[in-house]
Amino acid sequence: MVGWFSRLVVATTVRMPKWFVRWVSRRYVAGASLEDAVRVMKRLSSEGACFTVDVLGEEISTLDEATFFLEEYLRVMDAINEHQLDANLSIKPTAFGLLIDSKAGMANIRTLVERAAKHGMFVRLDMEDHRVTTDTIEAVLELHSEGITNVGTVLQGRLHRTLDDIQHLEAQLAGNADYRICKGIYLEPETISHTSRSDIINATNDAITSMFKAGAYVGVATHDQPVVDHTLSVLQEMRMGPGLEDPRPNAGKARPNKGPGYEFQMLLGVRGPLRRKLLAEGHRTRVYVPYGEKWYEYSIRRLKENPTIGVHVAKAFLMPWTNRP
Ligand code: FDA
């Protein structure tokens, strides 16, 4: 259950003037422009981090709006190449039209992923709320069945269906499945989702184990110590780790610009010391870098979607030393 304090912080923040929301979101959002994102990535490159770039946007209401995202991501690809950044792309399938017209949305996603393939770049389909879980997974499977393999999805530990989804993807892609696994930001109904913190952690950890066992590439997206610790213990058990070749007999093919079967992923501005520790230990660690004109809408939506973020906002505000970027 979300505490009253967190709800209060969220309720207060969303009523604050835009400059205040900008102040709060500054650490989590690179800025309004692609140039801002490039500047942040160049700065963090010196730590040894790699990146995934997200163009901020809301669910679109007409297909024409998808053109903006398509064109902006093409610009992102050019910038990544020009500045020789170690980065790939994260996209929201609904911003490409998947919920308005699944065929047209799919065509937009295909165009982008094919263009990315020409640059040797990977595209991650972010996972949105439960309305699009199945369509997002099926989009990845469809592309793989067409031989377009530089694409993977995200699964959310909190959803009851996740272990079944891993089996479904394993049956189609074997070790070539390429996941991001996270707890899930959307507060889903309890009929389809775990709701307590410990259940969500346990379910996420079970999903991580299952992905590693299936030979998949596993991007563990978390800032939570019990999930990091679980991942480290699975790695040890499987004799995987920094500098080691992936020893799993069922491992998928080695991926260009990826880690030895796994990587950690973290959000820009969150738990920098943990990120630097993982990097110093040699783990490939990817930072999710959102940018865009829609930073205000994005920040407000994230706060409303999951009021538990209110606790982090308050902590970052009152005790900035606990959460240095
Ligand atoms: P938890 O929320 O318990 O955080 C652990 C600690 O990290 C906190 O105690 C705090 O110190 C710090 N922290 C976490 N979030 C913070 C914040 N916003 N501000 C300040 N401190 C914070 N979800 C989804 O549904 N679909 C998706 O596609 C993605 N994609 C994605 C990519 C990446 C790279 C990450 C890291 C996360 C996502 N997520 C996501 C979000 C994810 O599902 C989850 O909601 C958040 O990562 C928070 O969960 P943690 O595991 O970090 O634990």
Side-chain angles (χ1 to χ4, degrees):
M1 197 175 71
V2 177
W4 64 268
F5 179 65
S6 194
R7 282 194 188 282
L8 181 70
V9 173
V10 170
T12 311
T13 307
V14 297
R15 282 176 182 74
M16 286 291 186
K18 208 167 171 180
W19 66 261
F20 180 79
V21 180
R22 175 70 192 118
W23 183 85
V24 169
S25 65
R26 205 174 40 184
R27 62 183 299 142
Y28 307 117
V29 176
S33 70
L34 177 55
E35 290 67 36
D36 293 326
V38 168
R39 191 165 4 89
V40 165
M41 286 190 276
K42 280 189 170 169
R43 178 166 55 79
L44 293 183
S45 288
S46 61
E47 282 183 4
C50 56
F51 310 96
T52 187
V53 182
D54 168 49
V55 178
L56 293 175
E58 299 301 284
E59 188 180 316
I60 58 173
S61 46
T62 66
L63 272 177
D64 287 346
E65 292 171 71
T67 311
F68 161 80
F69 288 99
L70 199 48
E71 287 173 358
E72 189 63 13
Y73 273 106
L74 297 181
R75 278 190 350 108
V76 174
M77 276 187 239
D78 288 342
I80 289 173
N81 280 334
E82 185 192 332
H83 297 278
Q84 298 187 336
L85 294 161
D86 185 351
N88 62 35
L89 310 176
S90 283
I91 69 168
K92 301 252 175 327
T94 62
F96 283 73
L98 203 64
L99 261 184
I100 301 175
D101 175 340
S102 61
K103 264 203 169 139
M106 199 53 218
N108 285 331
I109 293 170
R110 184 181 292 106
T111 302
L112 183 79
V113 179
E114 281 181 327
R115 282 290 286 270
K118 290 201 178 109
H119 291 292
M121 225 174 263
F122 183 83
V123 180
R124 176 75 59 198
L125 303 194
D126 281 354
M127 188 55 85
E128 301 169 86
D129 66 66
H130 70 271
R131 293 171 304 162
V132 280
T133 314
T134 299
D135 285 354
T136 304
I137 291 170
E138 293 308 317
V140 169
L141 289 174
E142 192 173 323
L143 292 171
H144 274 257
S145 74
E146 295 167 9
I148 305 168
T149 58
N150 57 319
V151 61
T153 189
V154 179
L155 295 183
Q156 298 153 322
R158 74 166 66 226
L159 292 189
H160 294 155
R161 58 179 285 171
T162 292
L163 287 178
D164 291 338
D165 286 334
I166 296 169
Q167 273 189 7
H168 178 53
L169 279 144
E170 186 187 357
Q172 311 278 324
L173 305 181
N176 290 325
D178 184 325
Y179 298 108
R180 174 191 300 154
I181 171 73
C182 60
K183 289 180 185 170
I185 188 88
Y186 303 90
L187 294 181
E188 302 287 12
E190 60 186 7
T191 45
I192 62 164
S193 158
H194 300 286
T195 52
S196 81
R197 176 174 157 75
S198 60
D199 286 350
I200 292 171
I201 290 176
N202 290 338
T204 304
N205 286 344
D206 287 348
I208 289 170
T209 306
S210 170
M211 289 170 174
F212 273 107
K213 286 196 170 146
Y217 188 85
V218 192
V220 179
T222 188
H223 320 92
D224 204 13
Q225 204 60 51
V227 180
V228 172
D229 289 345
H230 176 77
T231 307
L232 293 175
S233 73
V234 175
L235 288 173
Q236 198 173 19
E237 198 182 305
M238 299 205 150
R239 300 183 194 288
M240 295 173 69
L244 300 174
E245 250 177 59
D246 188 344
R248 295 171 299 173
N250 58 349
K253 59 182 177 348
R255 283 98 172 154
N257 309 321
K258 294 254 184 165
Y262 76 99
E263 64 187 39
F264 286 99
Q265 301 185 354
M266 298 176 71
L267 299 174
L268 179 68
V270 179
R271 299 206 64 189
L274 175 61
R275 181 183 72 232
R276 284 184 281 276
K277 181 169 179 286
L278 291 169
L279 280 165
E281 288 168 2
H283 300 287
R284 191 159 172 82
T285 305
R286 191 175 299 280
V287 181
Y288 188 97
V289 179
Y291 82 91
E293 296 286 346
K294 300 268 186 184
W295 61 266
Y296 179 76
E297 292 80 355
Y298 169 82
S299 308
I300 295 292
R301 181 171 57 88
R302 280 267 152 139
L303 281 165
K304 283 184 175 164
E305 261 162 16
N306 190 345
T308 55
I309 293 172
V311 170
H312 304 316
V313 172
K315 225 172 128 191
F317 184 61
L318 299 171
M319 299 187 287
W321 61 91
T322 61
N323 189 32
R324 292 198 318 274

